[in-house]
Amino acid sequence: MKTLLQINSGMQGQESHSSMLANRMTNSLLAQMPGAKHIKRDLSEEEIPHLNLGVFQSFSDPDSAVTPTQKAALALSNTLVAELKQSSILIIGAPMYNFMIPSVLKSWIDHVIRAQETFRYGENGPVGLLENKKTYIVIAQGGKFLGTEADIETEYLKMALGLIGITDIEFIYAQGLAMGPQGAEVGLKEA
Ligand SMILES: Cc1cc2nc3c(=O)[nH]c(=O)nc-3n(C[C@H](O)[C@H](O)[C@H](O)COP(=O)(O)O)c2cc1C
């Protein structure tokens, strides 16, 4: 059975353009995948805590998680990694907030990039351990940054996901959403 993992990270709930577009894309893919499992994480509703030293250490030494908080944080990371490993399609809704992805999405990434779990250190550098994951990322932004040096969001996502072996990524851009009603309409239509 195929699994589609969807990660929404827009903070504007039902009004989030990145989430709306990611939902739409998910629904259309699921319609073509009868029986597929759909795992959805809305990071605006269920925040992933910032990575801290204790949690990071527990990634390589699970016994070091002793307090209930540490144990819960390690368990959450294990769950997020398991969800990612079992998925064959990944859809991410990623708004641009202050020139970057939302910090909640960064936290999710910090919890799934794990040595020996999702990448390993090889003789020539890190080797991604996740394979065959078709990935779609919807980027929503108020301005128009695609193809400019200010588009660090795209490069960051390629680098971070590439590290763990997710390289087959299609980006969908909804741009100009803060450039008046007409600009937003055009941006959404193009996306
Ligand atoms: C806190 C915040 C920061 C933003 N920063 C940027 C930015 O740096 N560049 C930009 O083009 N748009 C920026 N915007 C506009 C959003 O990218 C735009 O509203 C987009 O639709 C957000 O995605 P969402 O609708 O999924 O939340 C920002 C919006 C918010 C709320």
Side-chain angles (χ1 to χ4, degrees), residues 10-12 15-19 94-100 140-145 177-178:
M11 67 176 172
Q12 312 195 64
E15 303 300 315
S16 162
H17 289 108
S18 60
S19 299
M96 179 186 270
Y97 292 153
N98 302 322
F99 295 100
M100 241 301 165
Q141 53 191 221
K144 291 187 173 188
F145 295 105
L177 301 185

Side-chain angles (χ1 to χ4, degrees), residues 161-177:
L161 296 175
L163 173 67
I164 55 177
I166 298 176
T167 52
D168 185 2
I169 307 176
E170 264 183 58
F171 286 90
I172 298 104
Y173 295 90
Q175 298 188 95
L177 301 185

Side-chain angles (χ1 to χ4, degrees), residues 86-152:
Q86 71 174 274
S87 67
S88 52
I89 297 182
L90 172 64
I91 296 184
I92 299 178
M96 179 186 270
Y97 292 153
N98 302 322
F99 295 100
M100 241 301 165
I101 58 168
S103 55
V104 287
L105 181 56
K106 175 69 166 55
S107 288
W108 179 81
I109 289 172
D110 286 342
H111 282 75
V112 297
I113 295 187
R114 285 180 51 180
Q116 312 314 327
E117 286 286 343
T118 53
F119 79 97
R120 66 175 173 80
Y121 294 103
E123 280 174 14
N124 300 313
V127 180
L129 298 178
L130 303 183
E131 287 174 341
N132 304 322
K133 290 191 197 307
K134 178 73 193 175
T135 297
Y136 302 92
I137 301 180
V138 181
I139 292 185
Q141 53 191 221
K144 291 187 173 188
F145 295 105
L146 181 56
T148 76
E149 62 180 12
D151 181 19
I152 48 177

